[in-house]
Amino acid sequence: MDLTRTQVAGRKRGAAARFGLIALPVAFFAAFFAYPVAAIVARGLKVEGVWGFGRIGEVLAQSDVRHVLWFTTWQAFVSTALTLLIALPGAYVFARFDFRGKQVLRAVVTVPFVLPTVVVGTAFLALVGRGGLLDELWGVRLDTTVWAILLAHVFFNYAVVVRTVGGLWAQLDPRQEEAARMLGASRLKAWRQVTLPALAPAVAAAALMVFLFTFTSFGVVQILGGPTFSTLEVEIYRQTSEIFDLSTAAVLTLIQFVAVGAILALHAWTVRRRETALRLVDASVTSRRPRGAGQWALLGGVLVTVVVLLLLPLAVLVQRSLDAPGFGYYRALTRADGGVFLVPPIEAIGNSLEYAVAATVIAVVIGGLAAVALTRRDAGRFVRGFDALLMLPLGVSAVTVGFGFLIALDEPPLDLRSSWILVPLAQALVGVPFVVRTMLPVLRAVDVRLREAASVLGASPWRVWREVDLPMVRRALLIAAGFAFAVSLGEFGATVFIARPDNPTLPVAVARLLGRPGDLNYGQAMALSTILMVVCAVALLVLERLRTADRTGEF
Protein backbone atom coordinates (compact mmCIF):
# COMPACT_ATOMS: atom_id res chain seq x y z
CA MET A 1 0.00 0.00 0.00
CA ASP A 2 2.81 2.41 0.86
CA LEU A 3 4.47 1.70 -2.46
CA THR A 4 1.21 2.37 -4.31
CA ARG A 5 0.72 5.63 -2.47
CA THR A 6 4.29 6.63 -3.27
CA GLN A 7 3.77 5.88 -6.94
CA VAL A 8 0.50 7.82 -7.01
CA ALA A 9 2.12 10.76 -5.24
CA GLY A 10 5.05 10.64 -7.68
CA ARG A 11 2.71 10.66 -10.65
CA LYS A 12 0.80 13.61 -9.21
CA ARG A 13 4.04 15.51 -8.64
CA GLY A 14 5.13 14.70 -12.19
CA ALA A 15 1.83 15.85 -13.67
CA ALA A 16 1.95 19.05 -11.62
CA ALA A 17 5.54 19.69 -12.66
CA ARG A 18 4.69 19.05 -16.32
CA PHE A 19 1.74 21.43 -16.15
CA GLY A 20 3.80 24.06 -14.36
CA LEU A 21 6.57 23.90 -16.96
CA ILE A 22 4.33 24.32 -19.99
CA ALA A 23 1.70 26.66 -18.50
CA LEU A 24 3.77 29.85 -18.68
CA PRO A 25 5.03 29.32 -22.27
CA VAL A 26 1.49 28.48 -23.45
CA ALA A 27 0.07 31.55 -21.71
CA PHE A 28 2.85 33.74 -23.16
CA PHE A 29 2.27 32.60 -26.74
CA ALA A 30 -1.50 32.77 -26.36
CA ALA A 31 -1.44 36.34 -25.03
CA PHE A 32 1.36 37.86 -27.09
CA PHE A 33 1.28 35.90 -30.34
CA ALA A 34 -1.99 34.08 -31.03
CA TYR A 35 -4.24 36.81 -29.64
CA PRO A 36 -2.67 39.81 -31.47
CA VAL A 37 -2.42 37.93 -34.78
CA ALA A 38 -6.00 36.64 -34.50
CA ALA A 39 -7.24 40.13 -33.54
CA ILE A 40 -5.80 41.90 -36.56
CA VAL A 41 -6.86 39.13 -38.96
CA ALA A 42 -10.37 39.15 -37.51
CA ARG A 43 -10.62 42.92 -37.78
CA GLY A 44 -9.50 42.78 -41.39
CA LEU A 45 -11.96 40.04 -42.41
CA LYS A 46 -14.96 41.32 -40.43
CA VAL A 47 -16.77 44.04 -42.37
CA GLU A 48 -19.75 45.78 -40.70
CA GLY A 49 -20.14 42.90 -38.26
CA VAL A 50 -20.18 40.27 -41.00
CA TRP A 51 -17.33 37.91 -41.80
CA GLY A 52 -16.21 38.72 -45.32
CA PHE A 53 -14.44 35.55 -46.38
CA GLY A 54 -15.33 36.42 -49.95
CA ARG A 55 -12.74 39.15 -49.55
CA ILE A 56 -10.05 36.49 -49.91
CA GLY A 57 -11.06 35.78 -53.49
CA GLU A 58 -11.33 39.49 -54.25
CA VAL A 59 -7.80 40.16 -53.01
CA LEU A 60 -6.34 37.20 -54.89
CA ALA A 61 -8.02 38.41 -58.07
CA GLN A 62 -6.04 41.67 -58.00
CA SER A 63 -3.18 41.64 -60.49
CA ASP A 64 -0.80 43.57 -58.23
CA VAL A 65 -1.36 41.06 -55.39
CA ARG A 66 -0.72 38.13 -57.74
CA HIS A 67 2.49 39.88 -58.83
CA VAL A 68 3.58 40.19 -55.20
CA LEU A 69 2.84 36.50 -54.58
CA TRP A 70 4.75 35.48 -57.70
CA PHE A 71 7.76 37.66 -56.89
CA THR A 72 7.81 36.48 -53.25
CA THR A 73 7.83 32.84 -54.32
CA TRP A 74 10.27 32.88 -57.24
CA GLN A 75 12.82 35.15 -55.55
CA ALA A 76 12.77 32.80 -52.53
CA PHE A 77 13.45 29.81 -54.79
CA VAL A 78 16.26 31.60 -56.64
CA SER A 79 17.77 32.96 -53.40
CA THR A 80 17.74 29.46 -51.91
CA ALA A 81 19.37 27.90 -54.99
CA LEU A 82 22.07 30.58 -55.11
CA THR A 83 22.77 30.23 -51.39
CA LEU A 84 23.18 26.45 -51.65
CA LEU A 85 25.40 26.78 -54.73
CA ILE A 86 27.72 29.31 -53.07
CA ALA A 87 27.66 28.04 -49.47
CA LEU A 88 27.99 24.23 -49.86
CA PRO A 89 31.74 24.45 -50.70
CA GLY A 90 32.14 26.51 -47.55
CA ALA A 91 30.27 23.87 -45.55
CA TYR A 92 32.72 21.24 -46.80
CA VAL A 93 35.76 23.37 -45.99
CA PHE A 94 34.63 24.06 -42.43
CA ALA A 95 33.66 20.41 -41.94
CA ARG A 96 36.72 18.63 -43.34
CA PHE A 97 39.64 21.09 -43.29
CA ASP A 98 41.70 22.24 -40.33
CA PHE A 99 43.54 25.51 -40.88
CA ARG A 100 44.81 28.48 -38.91
CA GLY A 101 42.14 31.03 -38.02
CA LYS A 102 39.29 28.60 -38.59
CA GLN A 103 37.37 29.56 -35.45
CA VAL A 104 37.64 33.29 -36.15
CA LEU A 105 36.56 32.73 -39.75
CA ARG A 106 33.59 30.67 -38.56
CA ALA A 107 32.50 33.59 -36.40
CA VAL A 108 32.99 36.03 -39.30
CA VAL A 109 30.84 33.85 -41.55
CA THR A 110 28.06 33.84 -38.97
CA VAL A 111 28.07 37.61 -38.38
CA PRO A 112 25.77 38.41 -41.35
CA PHE A 113 23.08 36.03 -40.07
CA VAL A 114 22.76 37.76 -36.71
CA LEU A 115 22.85 41.22 -38.27
CA PRO A 116 19.50 42.99 -38.51
CA THR A 117 18.08 42.88 -42.01
CA VAL A 118 18.09 46.67 -41.99
CA VAL A 119 21.88 46.63 -41.62
CA VAL A 120 22.18 44.03 -44.40
CA GLY A 121 20.12 46.21 -46.71
CA THR A 122 22.12 49.28 -45.74
CA ALA A 123 25.44 47.50 -46.35
CA PHE A 124 24.41 46.47 -49.86
CA LEU A 125 23.00 49.93 -50.49
CA ALA A 126 26.48 51.31 -49.72
CA LEU A 127 27.97 48.75 -52.11
CA VAL A 128 25.60 48.77 -55.08
CA GLY A 129 23.37 51.82 -54.57
CA ARG A 130 23.61 55.44 -55.65
CA GLY A 131 27.09 56.69 -54.83
CA GLY A 132 28.10 53.18 -53.76
CA LEU A 133 31.39 51.46 -54.48
CA LEU A 134 30.27 49.96 -57.79
CA ASP A 135 28.74 53.26 -58.85
CA GLU A 136 31.99 55.12 -58.13
CA LEU A 137 34.27 52.57 -59.81
CA TRP A 138 32.27 51.50 -62.87
CA GLY A 139 29.07 53.53 -62.85
CA VAL A 140 27.03 50.41 -62.06
CA ARG A 141 23.97 50.53 -59.79
CA LEU A 142 22.06 47.43 -58.71
CA ASP A 143 19.89 48.84 -55.92
CA THR A 144 16.83 48.97 -58.17
CA THR A 145 17.38 45.47 -59.62
CA VAL A 146 16.51 42.06 -58.27
CA TRP A 147 20.21 41.11 -58.19
CA ALA A 148 20.81 43.34 -55.19
CA ILE A 149 18.07 41.52 -53.29
CA LEU A 150 19.31 38.06 -54.31
CA LEU A 151 22.93 38.81 -53.35
CA ALA A 152 21.83 40.30 -50.02
CA HIS A 153 19.83 37.15 -49.30
CA VAL A 154 22.87 34.97 -50.05
CA PHE A 155 24.93 37.24 -47.77
CA PHE A 156 22.38 36.87 -44.97
CA ASN A 157 21.81 33.11 -45.26
CA TYR A 158 25.32 31.84 -46.09
CA ALA A 159 25.85 30.87 -42.45
CA VAL A 160 22.61 28.84 -42.34
CA VAL A 161 23.97 26.37 -44.89
CA VAL A 162 27.52 26.36 -43.46
CA ARG A 163 26.28 25.72 -39.92
CA THR A 164 23.48 23.27 -40.72
CA VAL A 165 25.14 21.18 -43.43
CA GLY A 166 28.72 21.64 -42.22
CA GLY A 167 27.79 20.63 -38.68
CA LEU A 168 26.50 17.25 -39.86
CA TRP A 169 29.20 16.83 -42.53
CA ALA A 170 31.91 17.19 -39.86
CA GLN A 171 30.42 14.27 -37.92
CA LEU A 172 29.91 11.85 -40.81
CA ASP A 173 32.31 8.93 -40.63
CA PRO A 174 34.70 9.40 -43.61
CA ARG A 175 35.55 5.68 -43.56
CA GLN A 176 32.23 4.91 -45.25
CA GLU A 177 33.21 6.90 -48.33
CA GLU A 178 36.75 5.48 -48.18
CA ALA A 179 35.33 1.95 -48.17
CA ALA A 180 33.33 2.71 -51.32
CA ARG A 181 36.46 3.97 -53.05
CA MET A 182 38.37 0.83 -52.05
CA LEU A 183 35.63 -1.17 -53.78
CA GLY A 184 36.35 0.67 -57.03
CA ALA A 185 34.05 3.68 -56.92
CA SER A 186 35.41 6.98 -58.19
CA ARG A 187 35.64 9.94 -55.80
CA LEU A 188 32.53 11.53 -57.36
CA LYS A 189 30.54 8.28 -57.35
CA ALA A 190 31.48 7.53 -53.74
CA TRP A 191 30.39 11.03 -52.69
CA ARG A 192 27.15 10.80 -54.69
CA GLN A 193 26.14 7.38 -53.40
CA VAL A 194 27.45 7.47 -49.81
CA THR A 195 27.90 11.02 -48.52
CA LEU A 196 25.15 12.86 -50.40
CA PRO A 197 22.30 10.61 -49.17
CA ALA A 198 23.52 11.09 -45.59
CA LEU A 199 23.71 14.85 -46.10
CA ALA A 200 20.36 15.11 -47.88
CA PRO A 201 18.25 15.73 -44.73
CA ALA A 202 20.63 18.48 -43.58
CA VAL A 203 20.71 20.08 -47.04
CA ALA A 204 16.92 19.93 -47.20
CA ALA A 205 16.59 21.43 -43.71
CA ALA A 206 19.00 24.25 -44.59
CA ALA A 207 17.22 24.90 -47.89
CA LEU A 208 13.85 25.10 -46.17
CA MET A 209 15.17 27.53 -43.55
CA VAL A 210 16.72 29.73 -46.24
CA PHE A 211 13.48 29.60 -48.22
CA LEU A 212 11.53 30.57 -45.09
CA PHE A 213 13.77 33.55 -44.34
CA THR A 214 13.73 34.79 -47.95
CA PHE A 215 10.01 34.14 -48.41
CA THR A 216 9.29 36.39 -45.40
CA SER A 217 12.03 38.92 -46.21
CA PHE A 218 11.21 42.45 -45.11
CA GLY A 219 14.13 44.75 -44.24
CA VAL A 220 16.28 43.77 -47.22
CA VAL A 221 13.47 44.17 -49.76
CA GLN A 222 12.16 47.32 -48.09
CA ILE A 223 15.53 49.06 -48.53
CA LEU A 224 16.80 47.55 -51.80
CA GLY A 225 13.54 46.83 -53.63
CA GLY A 226 12.20 50.36 -53.74
CA PRO A 227 8.76 50.75 -55.34
CA THR A 228 9.48 48.03 -57.93
CA PHE A 229 9.84 44.87 -55.82
CA SER A 230 7.68 43.82 -52.91
CA THR A 231 7.38 40.59 -50.94
CA LEU A 232 4.32 39.55 -48.98
CA GLU A 233 5.87 40.96 -45.81
CA VAL A 234 6.58 44.34 -47.42
CA GLU A 235 3.11 44.43 -48.96
CA ILE A 236 1.49 43.68 -45.59
CA TYR A 237 3.45 46.60 -44.14
CA ARG A 238 2.41 48.88 -47.02
CA GLN A 239 -1.27 47.91 -46.78
CA THR A 240 -1.23 48.34 -43.00
CA SER A 241 0.79 51.51 -42.42
CA GLU A 242 0.48 53.46 -45.68
CA ILE A 243 -2.86 52.52 -47.28
CA PHE A 244 -4.61 51.45 -44.03
CA ASP A 245 -6.35 48.59 -45.83
CA LEU A 246 -6.61 46.05 -43.00
CA SER A 247 -8.80 43.75 -45.07
CA THR A 248 -6.16 43.20 -47.76
CA ALA A 249 -3.43 42.97 -45.13
CA ALA A 250 -5.42 40.30 -43.26
CA VAL A 251 -5.83 38.19 -46.41
CA LEU A 252 -2.11 38.44 -47.17
CA THR A 253 -1.33 37.49 -43.58
CA LEU A 254 -3.48 34.35 -43.88
CA ILE A 255 -1.73 33.40 -47.13
CA GLN A 256 1.69 33.84 -45.54
CA PHE A 257 0.57 31.93 -42.45
CA VAL A 258 -0.51 28.92 -44.54
CA ALA A 259 2.71 28.98 -46.56
CA VAL A 260 4.89 29.24 -43.46
CA GLY A 261 3.00 26.41 -41.79
CA ALA A 262 3.68 24.15 -44.77
CA ILE A 263 7.39 25.10 -44.78
CA LEU A 264 7.74 24.43 -41.05
CA ALA A 265 5.99 21.06 -41.40
CA LEU A 266 8.47 20.07 -44.11
CA HIS A 267 11.33 21.34 -41.95
CA ALA A 268 10.18 19.26 -38.97
CA TRP A 269 10.04 16.15 -41.18
CA THR A 270 13.56 16.69 -42.51
CA VAL A 271 14.91 17.25 -39.00
CA ARG A 272 13.41 13.95 -37.86
CA ARG A 273 15.07 12.20 -40.81
CA ARG A 274 18.36 13.84 -39.95
CA GLU A 275 18.26 12.51 -36.40
CA THR A 276 17.93 8.84 -37.43
CA ALA A 277 20.03 6.19 -39.14
CA LEU A 278 23.32 8.12 -39.27
CA ARG A 279 26.72 6.91 -38.10
CA LEU A 280 28.30 9.93 -36.45
CA VAL A 281 31.78 10.42 -35.05
CA ASP A 282 33.57 13.16 -33.14
CA ALA A 283 33.99 16.15 -35.45
CA SER A 284 37.54 16.75 -34.17
CA VAL A 285 38.81 13.52 -35.80
CA THR A 286 37.37 14.17 -39.28
CA SER A 287 39.12 17.48 -40.05
CA ARG A 288 42.68 17.69 -41.35
CA ARG A 289 44.94 20.11 -43.16
CA PRO A 290 44.26 20.48 -46.90
CA ARG A 291 46.26 18.14 -49.13
CA GLY A 292 47.18 18.74 -52.73
CA ALA A 293 46.64 21.67 -55.06
CA GLY A 294 42.92 20.95 -55.50
CA GLN A 295 42.08 21.17 -51.80
CA TRP A 296 44.21 24.28 -51.29
CA ALA A 297 42.46 25.85 -54.31
CA LEU A 298 39.07 25.00 -52.80
CA LEU A 299 40.08 26.59 -49.49
CA GLY A 300 41.33 29.66 -51.35
CA GLY A 301 38.10 29.91 -53.33
CA VAL A 302 36.02 29.80 -50.16
CA LEU A 303 38.20 32.48 -48.56
CA VAL A 304 37.77 34.71 -51.62
CA THR A 305 34.01 34.17 -51.49
CA VAL A 306 33.92 35.13 -47.82
CA VAL A 307 35.95 38.28 -48.46
CA VAL A 308 34.01 39.44 -51.53
CA LEU A 309 30.50 38.38 -50.57
CA LEU A 310 30.54 38.80 -46.79
CA LEU A 311 33.32 41.17 -45.75
CA LEU A 312 33.29 43.67 -48.64
CA PRO A 313 29.72 44.95 -48.03
CA LEU A 314 30.49 45.38 -44.33
CA ALA A 315 33.78 47.12 -45.07
CA VAL A 316 32.06 49.52 -47.48
CA LEU A 317 29.43 50.19 -44.80
CA VAL A 318 32.14 51.18 -42.33
CA GLN A 319 33.95 53.27 -44.95
CA ARG A 320 30.78 55.19 -45.82
CA SER A 321 30.19 55.94 -42.14
CA LEU A 322 33.65 57.58 -42.03
CA ASP A 323 33.24 59.74 -45.16
CA ALA A 324 32.65 62.89 -43.16
CA PRO A 325 35.91 64.30 -41.72
CA GLY A 326 36.48 64.05 -38.01
CA PHE A 327 33.86 61.34 -37.50
CA GLY A 328 31.27 63.90 -38.56
CA TYR A 329 28.43 61.41 -39.05
CA TYR A 330 29.05 59.87 -35.64
CA ARG A 331 29.14 63.29 -33.97
CA ALA A 332 25.89 64.21 -35.73
CA LEU A 333 24.22 61.29 -33.95
CA THR A 334 24.52 63.19 -30.66
CA ARG A 335 22.29 66.05 -31.87
CA ALA A 336 18.51 66.07 -31.93
CA ASP A 337 17.03 67.57 -35.10
CA GLY A 338 13.49 68.09 -33.88
CA GLY A 339 12.15 66.18 -36.89
CA VAL A 340 11.68 62.42 -37.00
CA PHE A 341 13.63 61.98 -33.76
CA LEU A 342 12.56 63.64 -30.52
CA VAL A 343 15.91 62.66 -28.99
CA PRO A 344 19.46 62.42 -30.39
CA PRO A 345 19.77 59.27 -32.54
CA ILE A 346 22.68 58.08 -30.38
CA GLU A 347 20.17 57.32 -27.61
CA ALA A 348 18.88 54.48 -29.77
CA ILE A 349 21.97 52.50 -28.72
CA GLY A 350 21.05 52.56 -25.03
CA ASN A 351 17.39 51.89 -25.83
CA SER A 352 18.26 48.87 -27.96
CA LEU A 353 20.57 47.40 -25.32
CA GLU A 354 17.99 47.84 -22.56
CA TYR A 355 15.21 46.34 -24.65
CA ALA A 356 17.44 43.45 -25.78
CA VAL A 357 18.44 42.58 -22.20
CA ALA A 358 14.79 42.54 -21.09
CA ALA A 359 13.80 40.49 -24.15
CA THR A 360 16.64 38.03 -23.48
CA VAL A 361 15.47 37.44 -19.91
CA ILE A 362 11.92 36.82 -21.12
CA ALA A 363 13.07 34.54 -23.97
CA VAL A 364 15.36 32.49 -21.72
CA VAL A 365 12.65 31.97 -19.09
CA ILE A 366 9.90 31.09 -21.58
CA GLY A 367 12.16 29.10 -23.92
CA GLY A 368 13.93 27.33 -21.07
CA LEU A 369 10.67 26.17 -19.50
CA ALA A 370 9.38 25.01 -22.89
CA ALA A 371 12.61 23.12 -23.64
CA VAL A 372 12.52 21.33 -20.29
CA ALA A 373 8.86 20.38 -20.80
CA LEU A 374 9.59 19.04 -24.29
CA THR A 375 12.36 16.76 -23.01
CA ARG A 376 10.30 15.07 -20.30
CA ARG A 377 9.54 11.44 -21.07
CA ASP A 378 5.99 11.85 -19.79
CA ALA A 379 5.31 14.79 -22.09
CA GLY A 380 1.86 14.47 -23.59
CA ARG A 381 0.75 14.89 -27.19
CA PHE A 382 -0.20 18.51 -26.54
CA VAL A 383 3.30 19.34 -25.27
CA ARG A 384 4.93 17.67 -28.27
CA GLY A 385 2.59 19.55 -30.60
CA PHE A 386 3.53 22.81 -28.92
CA ASP A 387 7.09 22.23 -30.18
CA ALA A 388 6.01 23.01 -33.74
CA LEU A 389 4.08 26.12 -32.68
CA LEU A 390 7.22 27.58 -31.11
CA MET A 391 8.71 28.08 -34.58
CA LEU A 392 5.76 30.08 -35.96
CA PRO A 393 6.99 33.53 -34.81
CA LEU A 394 9.99 33.09 -37.14
CA GLY A 395 7.74 32.87 -40.17
CA VAL A 396 4.54 34.72 -39.37
CA SER A 397 4.61 38.35 -40.45
CA ALA A 398 6.41 40.41 -37.82
CA VAL A 399 4.53 43.39 -39.22
CA THR A 400 1.26 41.66 -38.37
CA VAL A 401 2.48 40.88 -34.85
CA GLY A 402 3.58 44.48 -34.26
CA PHE A 403 0.39 46.03 -35.56
CA GLY A 404 -1.58 43.36 -33.70
CA PHE A 405 0.03 44.53 -30.48
CA LEU A 406 -1.38 48.02 -31.07
CA ILE A 407 -4.83 46.68 -32.00
CA ALA A 408 -5.23 43.99 -29.33
CA LEU A 409 -3.22 45.09 -26.29
CA ASP A 410 -5.26 48.23 -25.61
CA GLU A 411 -7.68 47.09 -22.91
CA PRO A 412 -7.19 45.90 -19.31
CA PRO A 413 -5.69 43.63 -18.18
CA LEU A 414 -3.42 43.81 -21.24
CA ASP A 415 -3.41 47.55 -21.91
CA LEU A 416 0.29 47.83 -22.72
CA ARG A 417 0.37 50.33 -25.59
CA SER A 418 2.03 53.00 -23.44
CA SER A 419 4.31 50.58 -21.59
CA TRP A 420 8.02 50.12 -22.40
CA ILE A 421 7.64 46.34 -21.99
CA LEU A 422 5.78 46.10 -25.30
CA VAL A 423 9.01 46.20 -27.35
CA PRO A 424 10.84 43.47 -25.36
CA LEU A 425 7.76 41.25 -25.53
CA ALA A 426 7.71 41.49 -29.34
CA GLN A 427 11.46 40.86 -29.52
CA ALA A 428 11.24 37.89 -27.15
CA LEU A 429 8.77 36.18 -29.48
CA VAL A 430 11.55 35.90 -32.04
CA GLY A 431 14.16 34.91 -29.46
CA VAL A 432 12.24 32.02 -27.86
CA PRO A 433 12.60 29.61 -30.85
CA PHE A 434 16.40 30.12 -30.82
CA VAL A 435 16.52 29.40 -27.08
CA VAL A 436 14.48 26.22 -27.48
CA ARG A 437 16.49 24.94 -30.47
CA THR A 438 19.78 25.61 -28.66
CA MET A 439 18.82 23.92 -25.40
CA LEU A 440 16.81 20.93 -26.66
CA PRO A 441 19.74 18.80 -27.95
CA VAL A 442 21.69 19.26 -24.71
CA LEU A 443 18.71 18.53 -22.48
CA ARG A 444 17.89 15.40 -24.47
CA ALA A 445 21.47 14.23 -23.98
CA VAL A 446 21.15 14.25 -20.17
CA ASP A 447 20.91 10.69 -18.88
CA VAL A 448 17.36 10.29 -17.58
CA ARG A 449 18.62 7.79 -14.99
CA LEU A 450 20.38 10.62 -13.18
CA ARG A 451 17.09 12.45 -12.80
CA GLU A 452 15.31 9.27 -11.68
CA ALA A 453 18.00 8.54 -9.09
CA ALA A 454 17.69 12.05 -7.67
CA SER A 455 13.90 11.72 -7.51
CA VAL A 456 14.12 8.35 -5.75
CA LEU A 457 16.37 9.97 -3.16
CA GLY A 458 13.61 12.48 -2.44
CA ALA A 459 14.67 15.49 -4.51
CA SER A 460 11.90 17.79 -5.70
CA PRO A 461 11.58 18.50 -9.44
CA TRP A 462 13.14 21.93 -8.89
CA ARG A 463 16.10 20.45 -7.02
CA VAL A 464 16.55 17.76 -9.69
CA TRP A 465 16.78 20.52 -12.29
CA ARG A 466 19.18 22.56 -10.17
CA GLU A 467 21.48 19.69 -9.20
CA VAL A 468 21.37 17.48 -12.34
CA ASP A 469 20.33 19.42 -15.43
CA LEU A 470 21.64 22.92 -14.77
CA PRO A 471 25.36 22.02 -14.44
CA MET A 472 25.18 20.18 -17.78
CA VAL A 473 23.20 22.79 -19.72
CA ARG A 474 24.67 25.93 -18.18
CA ARG A 475 26.88 26.70 -21.18
CA ALA A 476 24.08 25.94 -23.64
CA LEU A 477 21.89 28.31 -21.63
CA LEU A 478 24.49 31.06 -22.02
CA ILE A 479 24.71 30.42 -25.77
CA ALA A 480 20.92 30.51 -26.03
CA ALA A 481 20.86 33.81 -24.14
CA GLY A 482 23.47 35.22 -26.51
CA PHE A 483 21.46 34.25 -29.58
CA ALA A 484 18.30 35.72 -28.06
CA PHE A 485 20.17 38.94 -27.30
CA ALA A 486 21.55 39.28 -30.85
CA VAL A 487 18.18 38.48 -32.45
CA SER A 488 16.32 40.87 -30.16
CA LEU A 489 18.82 43.63 -30.85
CA GLY A 490 18.08 43.49 -34.57
CA GLU A 491 14.31 42.87 -34.60
CA PHE A 492 12.67 45.37 -36.94
CA GLY A 493 9.36 44.20 -38.42
CA ALA A 494 7.31 44.39 -35.22
CA THR A 495 9.37 47.04 -33.43
CA VAL A 496 8.84 49.59 -36.21
CA PHE A 497 5.17 49.80 -35.15
CA ILE A 498 5.54 49.91 -31.39
CA ALA A 499 8.81 51.76 -30.70
CA ARG A 500 7.96 55.28 -29.52
CA PRO A 501 9.56 58.32 -31.22
CA ASP A 502 11.29 59.25 -27.96
CA ASN A 503 12.65 55.70 -27.51
CA PRO A 504 13.70 54.41 -30.96
CA THR A 505 15.70 51.23 -31.36
CA LEU A 506 18.77 51.03 -33.59
CA PRO A 507 17.06 49.27 -36.55
CA VAL A 508 14.12 51.67 -36.42
CA ALA A 509 16.47 54.66 -36.26
CA VAL A 510 18.44 53.38 -39.27
CA ALA A 511 15.28 52.89 -41.33
CA ARG A 512 13.99 56.37 -40.46
CA LEU A 513 17.30 57.99 -41.40
CA LEU A 514 17.38 56.14 -44.73
CA GLY A 515 13.85 57.33 -45.44
CA ARG A 516 14.91 60.97 -45.28
CA PRO A 517 16.78 62.75 -48.08
CA GLY A 518 20.22 64.26 -47.66
CA ASP A 519 23.80 63.09 -47.31
CA LEU A 520 23.84 63.76 -43.57
CA ASN A 521 20.90 61.44 -42.91
CA TYR A 522 22.45 58.79 -45.17
CA GLY A 523 25.80 59.06 -43.36
CA GLN A 524 24.15 58.85 -39.95
CA ALA A 525 22.31 55.71 -41.08
CA MET A 526 25.66 54.20 -42.08
CA ALA A 527 27.17 55.17 -38.73
CA LEU A 528 24.32 53.68 -36.71
CA SER A 529 24.41 50.52 -38.84
CA THR A 530 28.13 50.19 -38.17
CA ILE A 531 27.57 50.52 -34.42
CA LEU A 532 24.83 47.90 -34.54
CA MET A 533 27.06 45.59 -36.61
CA VAL A 534 29.90 45.89 -34.07
CA VAL A 535 27.61 45.12 -31.13
CA CYS A 536 26.20 42.04 -32.90
CA ALA A 537 29.70 40.88 -33.91
CA VAL A 538 30.98 41.13 -30.34
CA ALA A 539 28.00 39.12 -29.09
CA LEU A 540 28.69 36.49 -31.74
CA LEU A 541 32.39 36.23 -30.88
CA VAL A 542 31.42 35.59 -27.27
CA LEU A 543 29.00 32.88 -28.47
CA GLU A 544 31.72 31.28 -30.60
CA ARG A 545 34.07 31.31 -27.62
CA LEU A 546 31.43 29.61 -25.47
CA ARG A 547 30.74 27.03 -28.19
CA THR A 548 34.44 26.23 -28.59
CA ALA A 549 34.94 26.08 -24.84
CA ASP A 550 32.00 23.71 -24.55
CA ARG A 551 33.62 21.38 -27.09
CA THR A 552 37.09 21.46 -25.56
CA GLY A 553 36.05 21.56 -21.94
CA GLU A 554 37.87 24.84 -21.35
CA PHE A 555 36.79 28.42 -21.24
Side-chain angles (χ1 to χ4, degrees), residues 235-367:
E235 188 64 19
I236 292 171
Y237 174 77
R238 191 175 73 89
Q239 295 288 342
T240 302
S241 63
E242 297 178 9
I243 303 178
F244 304 106
D245 186 350
L246 288 185
S247 177
T248 299
V251 172
L252 296 179
T253 296
L254 287 176
I255 294 172
Q256 183 166 308
F257 187 84
V258 171
V260 167
I263 295 170
L264 291 177
L266 279 174
H267 180 264
W269 179 70
T270 57
V271 168
R272 283 196 298 270
R273 285 188 59 199
R274 179 183 171 183
E275 292 177 345
T276 60
L278 292 177
R279 182 191 295 178
L280 304 180
V281 297
D282 187 354
S284 62
V285 305
T286 63
S287 61
R288 52 178 173 75
R289 289 186 62 80
R291 300 172 184 173
Q295 293 188 354
W296 281 106
L298 177 60
L299 175 58
V302 169
L303 292 177
V304 170
T305 300
V306 170
V307 170
V308 173
L309 179 65
L310 305 185
L311 293 183
L312 183 59
L314 300 180
V316 174
L317 174 66
V318 175
Q319 185 268 326
R320 287 289 182 268
S321 74
L322 298 172
D323 273 352
F327 298 95
Y329 293 142
Y330 289 90
R331 287 189 286 108
L333 295 175
T334 63
R335 300 191 294 267
D337 61 3
V340 174
F341 296 102
L342 301 180
V343 296
I346 195 69
E347 293 192 12
I349 301 174
N351 296 335
S352 287
L353 293 175
E354 292 174 1
Y355 287 144
V357 169
T360 300
V361 173
I362 297 171
V364 168
V365 172
I366 300 298

Side-chain angles (χ1 to χ4, degrees), residues 77-160:
F77 273 113
V78 175
S79 296
T80 302
L82 281 176
T83 304
L84 289 175
L85 180 66
I86 295 174
L88 281 176
Y92 176 78
V93 165
F94 280 103
R96 295 302 197 199
F97 290 171
D98 186 19
F99 52 91
R100 183 175 299 178
K102 180 178 177 179
Q103 298 305 326
V104 174
L105 188 63
R106 189 194 300 271
V108 169
V109 164
T110 314
V111 165
F113 181 69
V114 300
L115 286 180
T117 55
V118 171
V119 174
V120 175
T122 306
F124 272 82
L125 192 65
L127 180 64
V128 304
R130 178 182 58 85
L133 182 63
L134 295 184
D135 191 15
E136 289 183 354
L137 294 178
W138 299 294
V140 176
R141 288 182 57 187
L142 299 176
D143 55 320
T144 56
T145 71
V146 72
W147 281 106
I149 296 173
L150 297 178
L151 290 174
H153 283 162
V154 175
F155 169 92
F156 184 76
N157 293 291
Y158 186 91
V160 175

